Amino acid sequence: MATVTVRGRAELDVEPDRVRLGYVVQAEAAAGADALTLVAERSAAADEALDRAGDLLLLRRPAAVTLTPVWADNGTVTGQAARRFVLVEARAVGPLGELLAALVAVPGSTVESTEWVVDPGNPVHARLRAAAVADARQRAADYAQAADLRLGALEWITEPDVRPGEPGWASAQAVSLGFARKDAGGSPVLELRPEPVAVSTAVDVRWALLG
């Protein structure tokens, strides 16, 4: 029996549910123990800033502290560098700029990565799956008509393997920063501006073809 197999696709720009921040606290000293002590003190200050964020914070995942030698141009070791990476997720709406400013105000702290994220449980995913199936059916019907045939029973339906950059990948967008307002002293305050996230999905479907 003749069949037709097609891939349906759907994509939509969606308001993000959360922002993901990756920040690093680091310190250097001549001795490793001193570098570790200093990075611990700075990490405590950064943790206090996160504690003050309250319900704005959704996730906090610190990694282990690493210690690496600092090399001079002549190949000698001049000290030790301690580094602690922390992944933070926060709500997309709220005083995100104030949180970011508090983190980078800690000596040795750097925000290395920022991105907007759409949650896996967001209802948009169900809408996109339905739209992808509808797209697949329309494609299959077009092929059937071109072959002077008609669609029969649906034989199987499956999601293809998904990799970054392919349909089905809920991509994250870089965060845009702007000076949207000023504090009580008249200084500009950083604001994180949510950017729409391109969410896409794909489905492979096979139909029988009837004469």
Side-chain angles (χ1 to χ4, degrees):
M1 177 184 293
T3 62
V4 59
T5 303
V6 295
R7 176 168 295 181
R9 296 183 173 90
E11 183 173 339
L12 190 65
D13 286 342
V14 183
E15 290 299 313
D17 296 305
R18 62 182 65 201
V19 63
R20 182 177 296 145
L21 305 173
Y23 78 91
V24 170
V25 181
Q26 50 195 352
E28 292 185 12
D34 293 335
L36 290 172
T37 298
L38 188 54
V39 85
E41 295 173 352
R42 293 175 174 180
S43 294
D47 288 343
E48 289 179 4
L50 294 176
D51 291 340
R52 290 194 298 271
D55 292 340
L56 179 67
L57 210 64
L58 297 172
L59 178 147
R60 184 191 317 189
R61 185 179 298 148
V65 176
T66 59
L67 189 66
T68 57
V70 178
W71 297 88
D73 293 338
N74 60 5
T76 61
V77 176
T78 60
Q80 298 289 325
R83 186 179 189 272
R84 180 185 186 233
F85 178 84
V86 180
L87 179 68
V88 172
E89 292 188 358
R91 302 182 190 279
V93 178
L96 296 170
E98 295 177 10
L99 173 60
L100 185 64
L103 288 176
V104 299
V106 176
S109 294
T110 305
V111 176
E112 288 194 340
S113 62
T114 54
E115 56 186 11
W116 298 110
V117 180
V118 175
D119 288 339
N122 191 303
V124 71
H125 296 293
R127 291 167 48 197
L128 286 171
R129 294 183 191 108
V133 172
D135 179 60
R137 184 177 182 85
Q138 183 59 58
R139 290 171 183 267
D142 291 342
Y143 285 121
Q145 183 179 12
D148 198 23
L149 298 169
R150 55 192 175 86
L151 291 182
L154 188 152
E155 294 195 344
W156 53 258
I157 180 170
T158 183
E159 289 186 345
D161 292 335
V162 177
R163 297 180 180 85
E166 293 183 354
W169 182 259
S171 61
Q173 305 290 338
V175 171
S176 296
L177 302 178
F179 295 98
R181 61 186 177 87
K182 296 185 177 181
D183 61 18
S187 300
V189 176
L190 274 175
E191 292 288 359
L192 300 185
R193 299 172 179 171
E195 299 283 347
V197 177
V199 181
S200 60
T201 192
V203 65
D204 289 340
V205 190
R206 176 180 290 176
W207 275 273
L209 291 177
L210 305 177

